């Protein structure tokens, strides 16, 4: 099962960048990666510094006081890992049932990424698009109930 993910991290992270900006950004990440390999040290940043979309910023600001664990620092190279996260590359070899869950109003992981995963997946496959839900709403209230119902049905059928 794939829930609220993307097909190609690089396309999601760098989609809004010019070719020149992307090259500079990737070069910076590569230097940081190489420094970590050489020295074992890496830059840690507050998670709030890497949140680039308005939904995540809003979610963080809404819950940071109630959930202190949200205020952690993470390796800046998490961005490098995200860029290199490309589940689309593994789909040809995946011969298991696949349910892809996407949020219809997801401003973090575009619906097009879920569509791409679905199109390239082998059968049996299903794409569940939770209409009217943002990325974080899939985890609460009626959207959560709807998604869980779809997932349980999928598990009943294929487990």
């Amino acid at each position: 099962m794939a829930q609220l993910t993307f097909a190609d991290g690089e396309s999601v992270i760098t989609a809004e960048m010019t070719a020149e900006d992307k090259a500079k950004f990737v070069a910076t990440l590569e230097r940081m990666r190489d420094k970590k390999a050489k020295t074992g040290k890496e830059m840690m940043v507050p998670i709030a510094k890497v949140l680039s979309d308005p939904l995540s910023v809003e979610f963080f600001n809404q819950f940071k006081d109630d959930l202190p664990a949200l205020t952690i620092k993470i390796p800046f190279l998490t961005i490098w890992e995200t860029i290199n996260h490309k589940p689309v590359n593994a789909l040809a070899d995946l011969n298991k049932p696949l349910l892809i869950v996407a949020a219809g109003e997801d401003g973090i992981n575009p619906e097009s990424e879920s569509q791409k995963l679905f199109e390239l997946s082998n059968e049996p496959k299903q794409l569940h698009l939770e209409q009217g839900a943002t990325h974080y709403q899939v985890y609460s209230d009626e959207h959560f109930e709807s998604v869980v119902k779809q997932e349980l049905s999928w598990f009943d059928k294929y487990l």
Side-chain angles (χ1 to χ4, degrees), residues 30-45:
E30 288 171 342
R31 283 192 306 276
M32 292 174 79
R33 178 203 60 204
D34 295 346
K35 178 182 177 184
K36 180 185 176 195
K38 190 179 205 180
T39 67
K41 296 178 183 176
E42 65 182 309
M43 181 172 38
M44 302 293 284
V45 294

Side-chain angles (χ1 to χ4, degrees), residues 32 42-51 70-79:
M32 292 174 79
E42 65 182 309
M43 181 172 38
M44 302 293 284
V45 294
I47 196 167
K49 295 278 186 190
V50 297
L51 300 176
L70 286 178
T71 60
I72 62 169
K73 288 186 175 184
I74 62 170
F76 190 75
L77 285 175
T78 300
I79 296 170

Side-chain angles (χ1 to χ4, degrees), residues 5-21:
T5 192
F6 40 78
D8 183 327
E10 183 176 357
S11 68
V12 173
I13 296 285
T14 63
E16 307 279 325
M17 295 180 186
T18 65
E20 181 181 346
D21 288 342

Side-chain angles (χ1 to χ4, degrees), residues 10 15 21-23 35 49-50 60 65-66 77 88 93 103 108 112 119 132 137 146-147 153-156:
E10 183 176 357
D21 288 342
K22 178 181 173 180
K35 178 182 177 184
K49 295 278 186 190
V50 297
F60 177 83
D65 293 333
D66 294 334
L77 285 175
V88 70
D93 296 329
I108 299 167
S112 60
E119 290 166 10
Q137 288 174 330
S146 173
V147 167
S153 175
W154 182 260
F155 292 145
D156 284 344

Side-chain angles (χ1 to χ4, degrees), residues 109-126:
N109 296 317
E111 181 184 334
S112 60
E113 291 292 303
S114 295
Q115 291 286 350
K116 190 184 304 180
L117 285 171
F118 180 74
E119 290 166 10
L120 297 171
S121 298
N122 297 315
E123 294 288 346
K125 61 184 178 179
Q126 178 184 335

